[in-house]
Amino acid sequence: MFQTVCQKFSGGCMMVMRQDGDSVTFLGTAFLVHDNGYLLTVAHILPKEGRLLVVPEDPSSDFTPISQERVTTIPVSVAQRDPDRDLALLKIDQEMEMRLPDHFLGSGENMYVGNSVMAMGFAFGHQTLHTLVSMNAIISAKVLSHNQSKLLLFDSMMHDGDRGGPLVSVGEGQVVGIINGRFDPQEASSEYTDGSRTVTTNTNVSYAVAIEHGIELMEKEGIRAP
Amino acid sequence: MPDNSPETGEHRWYHLDVHPWVFFTSGGIIILFVALTLIFQRNVDDFFSTVQSGIGTYAGWFFVWTMNIILVYVISLLLGRFGGIRLGGAEAVPEFTTLGWFSMLFSAGMGIGLLFYGVAEPMFHFIASPLVEPGTPEAARVAMDITFLHWGLHPWAIYAIVGLSLAFFSFNKGLPLSIRSVFYPLLGERIYGPIGNIIDIMATVATLFGVATSLGLGVQQVNAGLNHLFGIPQSTLVQVILIACITLIATWSVVRGISAGIKLLSQINVFCAAALMIFVLMLGPTLFIMKALLENIGFYLQNLPQLATWNETYEATDWQQGWTVFYWGWWISWSPFVGMFIARVSYGRTIAEFIKGVLLVPTLITFIWITVFGNSAINIEMFGAGGIAKAVQENIPVSLFKLLENFPLGSVTSMVAVIVVITFFVTSSDSGSLVIDIITAGGNPDPPIIQRLFWAVLEGVVAAVLLLGGGLVALQTAAVTTGLPFSVVLLGMCFALHKGLAEYKEGQSFEFSTEDAKTGEFRTRPSSRLPTYGRRRFW
């Protein structure tokens, strides 16, 4: 089950990078959502300027080098950005042949606390370790944030490079959320503004924005969820 | 468009309104066949009955295999890992209420035959049992069992597999709602070429002749019933008038669309049928029926493997040719039509729901129905006045009314029965027309009104012409002979569906290649600090 989900989605996950002269720096993860070359990711990893690129995963299923000195990049641009949901829709600047699975976008609504999920992302990309890392978790909670965003909490420690990766339901084999990062109770608490009064807590809980918000962004661009 | 289905407006449904090849060739073949049948009546009749009896003798075992393989496969789908797949994708919402859905499934799937054979078939097996001594209590038990076999899980499994294949490939894979789409895993893009056209033309022609000849033969039965009840003369004039009335209502229903027409009539139909059944249950031998229902089901389940695989190998008789094998051929030849209709109305159901709804629920309802009518008849024959067996042998439709006369309020129940007969006809006729419309419109589930009008009327006209000119039986036999080639198709369909489902559920992946793309090559550099731009606004 876990294996099938990883195999299904690994080809859709890509590294997002920014070009600085003749080198690139890693920003986070994105995943394909439409065969016209659209990818979803989180907005807060994307700089306002600079040339954005994506790097597809090495398709080999065998052991792959942990780091690549040089990467093959494809230029992308930001098609839509939604700062309130912290999402962005990237578009590959050229026409490319690709085939996506049928109905691979699910809904956060249909997930229940306790459902198995896989979180996929290039966890250690900032350290130039270019490996897609998959982790399993259960849905720990479904919450509405202060700005009414639907968020899925899950019990797995996300790393900085996972941001923008897909949270995939194991049962349905569908993307249910866009990984946003570690859940920080101090940040989430409304008392946070007065830092002196809150108890600091370490957690290994992370969270993802429900895919519904991603689909809204796709509809704003005029593309239908597959 | 009066049909406000959720798919309306999605332009992929409207890529072709008339599929020119399928539409005109089918129309041409239908007219040609009718003409040939009228001219060479006797020869056509002989030809197809020879073919049919040859199929019965030499391919009967193959039907038995096919039916059982498909039943096992359908049950495995219910229990297996694909049960959660939703037809139309995870977010799809069913178009019809569950009750409306059941009504339509049942009305299209069983229809008129059940009404007459519910009484007649157990009686036939009771007085001429192939397995036990006729007329005994054991014969009664086995008679009910054989009838259950012919009308139970097997036919509904056939409908389920065709319906599920069509629904899956159309709603989940985006192919046109047409018989050809089922072959996509085997033929690929060639389904859009001549092979696909031939498949659709065959389905169209078989469906039209199946429905039209049933209509033509059925009105003769209605006429016999009306003659028995009210003394209305049995004449072709009366029968043509009946065809005209039924076609008129069916046309109205098809033109109104599924929600406003077909579903409404199906619900009226099921309501009337339920009323009739409850009447018979209450006024007839209630206690006997209630006891028999459970016993019949238990006996059926216990004997299913044995009876369903029985091939009369050691008896070396040919009883099955007239019954079991004929039924199997009949259900298979109807399956493109009923399956297509079931697919059309099942958008938004999960596979597990679909199989429960198409295999288990209708089978149970059928069993209740057959028990109420069949056991009432057997009760009269075994413990009462008798006479039903004789009536069945003389005239099957009249035997239904003869049965009702044995109970109080016979004239009221007979009137209800006539209404049920007619509504069953209309619901078969309108769903048949809709299926043909969809196929000849290249898989458009909401074909334009003018096309609906054309096919609904043509169906009535073909029935009337064959009634007047002769050849109903010949063409009905011809329609049933398509069961043999189609049973091969059905087995292929199981394979294709399984392949499609497995791939859909777990075999798919993202295929992406940078080979022909404009790409760059860059050196990678570690980040000196974590790049984060802007504050997250959730909190």
Side-chain angles (χ1 to χ4, degrees), chain A residues 86-143:
Chain A
D86 194 13
L87 293 178
L89 193 63
L90 303 176
K91 180 162 185 352
I92 295 175
D93 294 333
Q94 55 188 305
E95 286 212 0
M96 288 189 71
E97 273 292 308
M98 64 188 80
R99 253 184 76 184
L100 276 51
D102 304 287
H103 305 293
F104 68 90
L105 292 183
S107 82
E109 200 75 31
N110 290 348
M111 292 305 283
Y112 297 96
V113 173
N115 280 165
S116 272
V117 285
M118 295 291 293
M120 301 174 81
F122 295 88
F124 314 113
H126 295 107
Q127 291 85 0
T128 65
L129 303 179
H130 306 117
T131 310
L132 183 66
V133 177
S134 302
M135 295 177 89
N136 93 64
I138 62 161
I139 298 288
S140 308
K142 294 168 72 175
V143 297

Side-chain angles (χ1 to χ4, degrees), chain A residues 14-93:
Chain A
M14 300 191 185
M15 289 178 261
V16 186
M17 300 212 173
R18 179 166 70 160
Q19 185 188 345
D20 295 313
D22 63 346
S23 62
V24 283
T25 43
F26 177 87
L27 300 170
T29 306
F31 59 96
L32 279 173
V33 288
H34 194 278
D35 54 13
N36 284 355
Y38 286 95
L39 301 100
L40 268 176
T41 188
V42 288
H44 78 260
I45 61 163
L46 303 175
K48 292 280 182 296
E49 55 230 20
R51 191 146 175 67
L52 291 177
L53 308 159
V54 290
V55 179
E57 222 245 329
D58 188 331
S60 155
S61 65
D62 206 353
F63 292 98
T64 49
I66 191 160
S67 182
Q68 291 165 259
E69 204 152 306
R70 302 185 71 82
V71 286
T72 306
T73 61
I74 303 161
V76 292
S77 43
V78 178
Q80 295 284 340
R81 195 194 277 266
D82 181 349
D84 288 329
R85 311 292 184 211
D86 194 13
L87 293 178
L89 193 63
L90 303 176
K91 180 162 185 352
I92 295 175
D93 294 333

Side-chain angles (χ1 to χ4, degrees), chain B residues 1 254-257 437 446-456:
Chain B
M1 192 85 21
V254 175
V255 168
R256 295 256 298 171
D437 291 341
D446 289 300
I449 288 179
I450 190 84
Q451 278 163 249
R452 304 182 191 203
L453 208 66
F454 172 77
W455 288 108

